[in-house]
C-alpha cells in the first residue's frame, strides 16, 4: 500500500510539474481516475439523451433505415477524437479546446474557439434540462396524479431551474462528486440503452430485421409523417436531414479534456477516454435505435410513432411498473448529462479567467479552498444557463 501511495504521489508531482511547465500553478484536486474521466465524457455524449430527444426527427425524416446513418458521424468523429487526443496528451490543461487552440495556433484564435465552445456548453445544459421535462411530468402524473403540462412555459422553467440548482450544488462540492454522478450515469446509460433493447426484445418485436433496411416511403411527401417533401429522394434528400439525429449525439467526448487537471495520468488517460466514450456511444446508440425501430407498431409504424410522441409511445406498450422504472432511468441520464456538461463548462470559464481573458477574470478563476472547485465559474455558468 505504501508503495502504491508513493507511486501515485510521484505521478501527481510529475503531472503538476508538467502543468507548471505550461505556465499554470496546480489549483484543482487531481482525484479522477480513468473511469471517472471516461464517465464524464460518456455521460456528456449520452446516447440516451440524444436518442430520446431526437428519435422522432430521425425516424420521421429517414424512416427505419436511418439507423444505419449512425455510423457516418461516429466514423467521422473518431478522426476528430484522434486529433483531440493528440492535443490532450500534449496540453493536459483545464479548458480543453480553448487551450489546444491557444497553444497550437495562438491566443486570439484560442479565445475565439473557446468562446464558441463555452456558449455551446451553457446552451447544452439548458437544452438537456428542458429536454427532460416531459419525462418528469409523465412520472409525476403516474405517481402523484399532478397532470403537469410539459408544454407550459412556467412548468418548463421551474423544473429546469430546480435541476440546474441541484447540478450546481453537486458540482460545487468537488470533482469527485461530479465523477460519482457520472459513473452512476454510465451504469444508467447501459441499462437505458442495452437494457431497454433487451426488454423490448423479450416483450416482442413487431418487425423482423429486414424492416431496418426500409424507408417506409418517408421520402414521398404523401407518406412522410412530418409533411416533408424530399422529391422521392432518400439518399440525397431524406437521409441528409435524418443524419442530424445521430450527429447531435456524437459530441461531448471532448469534455474529458476539460477536466484534465483533475485526472490522474491525464496525458494518457484523457485521449483514451475520448476514444472509448465515442466508440461505446456508437455501439450502444445503434443497438437502442434498432430496438426502438423494431418495437414500433406493426401497422403504419412511422406515422403512428411520430404522432404518438416517439420513444414514450413505444415504451407505453410495456407494463406500467416497468415504464416508471425506465422513466427514472431516463430522467437520471438527462440529469447526469447536464451535470457533466456544466462541470466541463465551469472548467473552461476557470481556464479563461486564469488567463485574464474574460471580464471579472480574477473572480471567475477563484478556487474554493474547501472543495477545490471553481465555485464562481459554476455560479456564473448556472445564471447564464437559467437566463
Amino acid at each position: 500500500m505504501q508503495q502504491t501511495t508513493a507511486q501515485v504521489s510521484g505521478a501527481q508531482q510529475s503531472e503538476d510539474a508538467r502543468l507548471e511547465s505550461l505556465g499554470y500553478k496546480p489549483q484543482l484536486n487531481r482525484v479522477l481516475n480513468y473511469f471517472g474521466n471516461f464517465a464524464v465524457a460518456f455521460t456528456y455524449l449520452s446516447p440516451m439523451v440524444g436518442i430520446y430527444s431526437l428519435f422522432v426527427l430521425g425516424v420521421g425524416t429517414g424512416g427505419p433505415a436511418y439507423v444505419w446513418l449512425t455510423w457516418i458521424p461516429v466514423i467521422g468523429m473518431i478522426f476528430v477524437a484522434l486529433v483531440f487526443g493528440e492535443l490532450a496528451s500534449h496540453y493536459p490543461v483545464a479548458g480543453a479546446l480553448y487551450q489546444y487552440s491557444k497553444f497550437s495556433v495562438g491566443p486570439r484564435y484560442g479565445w475565439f474557439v473557446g468562446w464558441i465552445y463555452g456558449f455551446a456548453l451553457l446552451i447544452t445544459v439548458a437544452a438537456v434540462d428542458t429536454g427532460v421535462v416531459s419525462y418528469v411530468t409523465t412520472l409525476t402524473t403516474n405517481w402523484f396524479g399532478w397532470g403537469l403540462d410539459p408544454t407550459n412555459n412556467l412548468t418548463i422553467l421551474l423544473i429546469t431551474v430546480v435541476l440546474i440548482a441541484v447540478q450546481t450544488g453537486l458540482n460545487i462540492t468537488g470533482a469527485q462528486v461530479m465523477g460519482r454522478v457520472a459513473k452512476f450515469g454510465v451504469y444508467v446509460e447501459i441499462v437505458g440503452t442495452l437494457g431497454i433493447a433487451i426488454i423490448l426484445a423479450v416483450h416482442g418485436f413487431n418487425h423482423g430485421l429486414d424492416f431496418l433496411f426500409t424507408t417506409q416511403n418517408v421520402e414521398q411527401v404523401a407518406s412522410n409523417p412530418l409533411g416533408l417533401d424530399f422529391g422521392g429522394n432518400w439518399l440525397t434528400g431524406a437521409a441528409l436531414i435524418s443524419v442530424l439525429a445521430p450527429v447531435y449525439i456524437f459530441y461531448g467526448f471532448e469534455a474529458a479534456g476539460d477536466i484534465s487537471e483533475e485526472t490522474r495520468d491525464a496525458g494518457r488517460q484523457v485521449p483514451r477516454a475520448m476514444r472509448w466514450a465515442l466508440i461505446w456511444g456508437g455501439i450502444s446508440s445503434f443497438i437502442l435505435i434498432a430496438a426502438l425501430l423494431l418495437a414500433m407498431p406493426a401497422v403504419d409504424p412511422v406515422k403512428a410513432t411520430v404522432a404518438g410522441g416517439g420513444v414514450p409511445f413505444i415504451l407505453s406498450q410495456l407494463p406500467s411498473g416497468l415504464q416508471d422504472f425506465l422513466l427514472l432511468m431516463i430522467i437520471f441520464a438527462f440529469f447526469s448529462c447536464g451535470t457533466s456538461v456544466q462541470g466541463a463548462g465551469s472548467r473552461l470559464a476557470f481556464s479563461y479567467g486564469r488567463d485574464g481573458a474574460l471580464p471579472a477574470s480574477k473572480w471567475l478563476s477563484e478556487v474554493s479552498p474547501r472543495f477545490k472547485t471553481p465555485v464562481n465559474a459554476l455560479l456564473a455558468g448556472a445564471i447564464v444557463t437559467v437566463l
Side-chain angles (χ1 to χ4, degrees):
M1 178 62 72
Q2 289 179 346
Q3 184 179 7
T4 303
T5 303
Q7 288 174 341
V8 171
S9 176
Q12 180 163 335
Q13 288 176 3
S14 174
E15 290 171 284
D16 289 347
R18 187 176 187 182
L19 187 64
E20 288 177 349
S21 73
L22 293 170
Y24 296 111
K25 177 183 176 182
Q27 293 175 272
L28 306 174
N29 263 353
R30 204 174 287 277
V31 293
L32 297 176
N33 57 13
Y34 162 72
F35 184 60
N37 186 274
F38 163 84
V40 170
F42 187 76
T43 52
Y44 181 170
L45 184 146
S46 188
M48 283 181 71
V49 170
I51 293 169
Y52 293 166
S53 299
L54 299 165
F55 183 76
V56 167
L57 171 65
V59 73
T61 54
Y66 107 89
V67 66
W68 302 104
L69 301 175
T70 301
W71 299 113
I72 295 176
V74 170
I75 292 170
M77 293 305 279
I78 282 177
F79 289 104
V80 177
L82 291 173
V83 173
F84 284 178
E86 181 68 19
L87 291 167
S89 68
H90 286 285
Y91 311 114
V93 183
L97 305 188
Y98 161 60
Q99 295 289 357
Y100 304 162
S101 304
K102 185 188 79 176
F103 280 113
S104 59
V105 180
R108 289 187 178 184
Y109 183 70
W111 190 94
F112 170 76
V113 170
W115 182 261
I116 300 298
Y117 180 50
F119 268 100
L121 291 169
L122 293 171
I123 293 167
T124 298
V125 176
V128 168
D129 286 353
T130 54
V132 78
V133 170
S134 62
Y135 297 104
V136 172
T137 56
T138 301
L139 188 65
T140 55
T141 297
N142 292 350
W143 284 5
F144 310 113
W146 288 357
L148 297 173
D149 179 6
T151 64
N152 179 273
N153 288 339
L154 183 60
T155 301
I156 295 171
L157 179 63
L158 289 176
I159 292 175
T160 303
V161 169
V162 169
L163 282 174
I164 292 171
V166 176
Q167 290 162 340
T168 305
L170 289 172
N171 273 322
I172 283 174
T173 56
Q176 209 158 24
V177 174
M178 178 179 66
R180 285 170 182 163
V181 172
K183 287 176 184 178
F184 188 71
V186 171
Y187 301 130
V188 168
E189 291 279 350
I190 292 171
V191 175
T193 52
L194 305 182
I196 288 180
I198 293 170
I199 290 169
L200 290 172
V202 170
H203 188 267
F205 290 142
N206 295 316
H207 305 276
L209 290 176
D210 58 326
F211 180 70
L212 299 178
F213 294 90
T214 69
T215 67
Q216 297 297 299
N217 294 319
V218 294
E219 63 271 27
Q220 306 293 341
V221 66
S223 51
N224 186 283
L226 300 174
L228 302 175
D229 185 3
F230 295 111
N233 301 309
W234 188 84
L235 192 61
T236 58
L240 297 180
I241 303 301
S242 187
V243 74
L244 293 177
V247 161
Y248 287 137
I249 298 173
F250 300 112
Y251 69 97
F253 56 85
E254 74 283 347
D258 287 311
I259 53 173
S260 287
E261 290 183 39
E262 292 149 289
T263 303
R264 294 192 289 268
D265 195 14
R268 281 195 330 115
Q269 304 302 354
V270 169
R272 183 181 165 210
M274 288 182 179
R275 293 194 302 271
W276 283 107
L278 182 59
I279 291 168
W280 284 115
I283 293 170
S284 57
S285 295
F286 181 82
I287 292 172
L288 177 58
I289 293 171
L292 290 169
L293 291 167
L294 295 175
M296 292 197 303
V299 179
D300 206 356
V302 176
K303 185 175 181 180
T305 300
V306 171
V311 176
F313 171 75
I314 296 172
L315 298 182
S316 66
Q317 63 186 291
L318 300 173
S320 58
L322 187 55
Q323 288 182 48
D324 288 349
F325 171 72
L326 294 178
L327 281 171
L328 276 173
M329 302 287 284
I330 293 167
I331 290 167
F332 189 84
F334 275 81
F335 176 79
S336 62
C337 176
T339 303
S340 294
V341 179
Q342 187 194 59
S346 67
R347 272 57 178 182
L348 175 63
F350 161 78
S351 191
Y352 260 103
R354 189 170 52 180
D355 283 357
L358 285 177
S361 283
K362 185 178 179 181
W363 181 78
L364 284 171
S365 63
E366 288 181 5
V367 174
S368 165
R370 178 181 177 185
F371 300 118
K372 297 295 183 182
T373 54
V375 174
N376 294 339
L378 279 162
L379 293 174
I383 292 169
V384 173
T385 299
V386 169
L387 291 174

